[in-house]
Amino acid sequence: AEIKQAEAGRTHLTFREAEVEPYELPPLLKRADGTVVETADEWQARRAELLTLFEEHVYGRLPGPPEEMSFELLSEDMSAVDGKATRRKYRIDCQSGGRTFDFEFHLVIPNGVDPKKVDSAVPVFLLISHRSFKEVGRKKPIDDVLWPVDLLIERGYGTAIFVENQLSPDNRTAFDSGLVELHPQSDPRPADGWGGLAAWGWGASRVLDCFEEIDEVDASKVAVLGHSRGGKSALWAGARDDRFGLVISNNSGCGGAALSRRRFGETIAVILREDRFPYWFAPKFQDYKDREAGLPIDQHMLLALVAPRPLYVASATEDLWADPKGEYQALAHASKVYELHGHDGLDPERPLRVSDPIQTDRLGHHLRPGKHDLSRKDWTHYIDFADHLWPKP
Ligand code: GCU
């Protein structure tokens, strides 16, 4: 226990900047063999190395696409959003090694999209939802904050949603249903066994597989996003799957965009506490409770895995649990890889400014006043950023 304490320094939680102790981030651009990455081409090998480290130490290993997959339209309502949109419900059927698994997603697209016309397919925002379908899409207050379909349709975007629980239930007995039916794991899980975040992110990639077959969707312009725990999984999905054209983290915090070594707000030891969320991560992550310095990675490296694709990280002033400053700094450190690709970078020392969004050619950031939430205001910033990336013809 003494050694643990010595390594960790402060062991209580803090929400005060003055209590953040000095730390050193593992070098983003130095490969395991000691060579330094100097070009965009060289980054690819480093990227592969980092992906493996995140699998082994943080999120766990999970196979890619199933051996067989198909999807089916279950229902269609052409009068959604006051007749301005069509809402469809699909089921995705997966099969691997004789095992099967299915889950659903909903897609809403503006009416009048003519897939036969060149350039008319729409970009889509795909939300990884911690709310059930019952709650989302039927309750006005929830839709206004979590999934403002009307706003997205009005601004010319399609939007889709699926529910985390169908992939891996968000509770401590998570492994008794969902994706485990397709990819069984031993009990207890192996050190690098996948957790909930990886499972949810996997779901996002399967929805993207379907988008590639849906004519009204422009699969090269799909933004994957999530709030909080959903934001953590959106980042991991976007890191693994380079088909996502934009990756958005809304208040994702610990295990998401925030630097673990800052130990500000929620820490690894807290998130992994037995009564909290150990099942979101690989068991190996337990080794770094109050031992962040031993982690071979930090979360700026997760963000860098998205490069050079567009990436947006957002925080809220009152959401200290998620460490707004640590989220911004991770993004700014990751921007080194964007610079390597000829894009604009960000300065980690730049002070955070409220309600003053940053938009570079590939990176977005804002600090919204208020609480831990995915609000209409957040969505408006994301849509503005997408407009700037993907100008309408
Ligand atoms: C908890 C958890 C966070 C998580 C959040 C959420 O607060 O500690 O890590 O981001 O739930 O998903 O809302």
Side-chain angles (χ1 to χ4, degrees):
E2 252 169 46
I3 298 174
K4 245 190 171 176
Q5 289 239 345
E7 273 177 340
R10 169 180 58 75
T11 49
H12 64 272
L13 277 181
T14 192
F15 301 97
R16 291 176 41 199
E17 196 55 38
E19 288 192 341
V20 173
E21 292 172 358
Y23 58 88
E24 206 177 308
L25 290 178
L28 177 56
L29 294 176
K30 194 150 154 205
R31 298 192 48 193
D33 66 7
T35 55
V36 175
V37 174
E38 277 162 6
T39 65
D41 280 351
E42 288 168 10
W43 167 250
Q44 284 314 313
R46 175 62 173 151
R47 183 178 185 278
E49 221 168 68
L50 287 171
L51 263 176
T52 304
L53 289 173
F54 276 101
E55 282 180 347
E56 283 175 2
H57 298 266
V58 186
Y59 304 108
R61 279 181 207 279
L62 183 57
E67 285 161 18
E68 279 172 51
M69 194 185 111
S70 60
F71 67 108
E72 196 181 319
L73 178 63
L74 300 179
S75 64
E76 183 172 54
D77 169 12
M78 291 164 77
S79 63
V81 194
D82 299 326
K84 293 188 203 113
T86 294
R87 181 171 179 145
R88 298 182 188 152
K89 180 175 162 182
Y90 291 95
R91 190 190 60 241
I92 303 182
D93 293 296
C94 305
Q95 218 190 98
S96 282
R99 293 177 298 269
T100 60
F101 164 66
D102 61 74
F103 71 105
E104 293 162 354
F105 70 97
H106 293 206
L107 171 67
V108 191
I109 36 180
N111 281 336
V113 175
D114 179 356
K116 281 174 236 99
K117 272 219 269 90
V118 186
D119 286 341
S120 67
V122 288
V124 168
F125 282 87
L126 169 60
L127 177 65
I128 303 179
S129 174
H130 58 286
R131 300 267 196 183
S132 70
F133 285 130
K134 267 208 198 87
E135 291 176 297
V136 178
R138 281 174 189 80
K139 286 194 185 157
K140 185 91 175 93
I142 289 178
D143 287 356
D144 279 353
V145 294
L146 187 71
W147 195 40
V149 176
D150 60 325
L151 177 67
L152 285 150
I153 294 298
E154 195 180 297
R155 299 274 305 256
Y157 290 85
T159 184
I161 194 168
F162 71 94
V163 170
E164 290 169 358
N165 272 324
Q166 290 191 351
L167 275 300
S168 184
D170 195 359
N171 59 54
R172 257 169 296 145
T173 56
F175 295 102
D176 58 5
S177 70
L179 191 55
V180 72
E181 293 159 21
L182 196 69
H183 296 302
Q185 303 206 76
S186 60
D187 178 18
R189 289 179 292 148
D192 63 353
W194 52 271
L197 299 175
W200 306 335
W202 186 93
S205 287
R206 302 294 71 81
V207 174
L208 181 52
D209 295 341
C210 301
F211 286 168
E212 291 180 336
E213 315 280 316
I214 298 175
D215 291 341
E216 292 92 341
V217 173
D218 183 344
S220 71
K221 295 179 183 158
V222 174
V224 62
L225 86 157
H227 168 57
S228 206
R229 62 198 71 189
K232 304 180 213 288
S233 64
L235 286 173
W236 181 230
R240 286 190 81 188
D241 190 337
D242 63 11
R243 296 172 301 163
F244 285 111
L246 167 59
V247 180
I248 304 173
S249 148
N250 191 84
N251 306 182
S252 64
C254 180
L259 291 173
S260 302
R261 281 170 176 75
R262 271 174 52 78
R263 300 167 47 78
F264 184 103
E266 186 173 34
T267 61
I268 295 175
V270 171
I271 205 168
L272 293 181
R273 238 173 46 196
E274 207 169 321
D275 58 341
R276 295 186 64 82
F277 311 108
Y279 58 89
W280 287 353
F281 299 91
K284 175 82 184 162
F285 201 35
Q286 302 273 351
D287 291 1
Y288 307 103
K289 288 175 166 175
D290 293 325
R291 283 196 59 240
E292 287 82 355
L295 258 177
I297 48 79
D298 209 314
Q299 299 305 107
H300 62 310
M301 291 164 158
L302 173 69
L303 299 181
L305 291 173
V306 177
R309 289 167 293 139
L311 169 64
Y312 200 120
V313 170
S315 312
T317 52
E318 290 167 34
D319 187 19
L320 297 183
W321 187 243
D323 187 13
K325 183 166 175 185
E327 294 186 311
Y328 167 75
Q329 290 194 334
L331 178 68
H333 286 293
S335 77
K336 282 276 160 284
V337 182
Y338 286 82
E339 288 178 339
L340 208 59
H341 288 79
H343 302 292
D344 295 339
L346 296 172
D347 174 7
E349 299 313 318
R350 180 191 202 272
L352 261 60
R353 289 203 294 260
V354 185
S355 300
D356 182 19
I358 301 172
Q359 280 189 12
T360 73
D361 58 344
R362 295 282 169 106
L363 300 172
H365 175 268
H366 69 253
L367 177 62
R368 169 181 54 73
K371 297 193 293 205
H372 184 67
D373 235 335
L374 173 50
S375 73
R376 249 181 127 82
K377 189 79 205 164
D378 294 310
W379 278 102
T380 303
H381 291 314
Y382 301 146
I383 296 170
D384 290 345
F385 187 60
D387 279 355
H388 136 100
L389 294 172
W390 305 319
K392 302 260 167 2

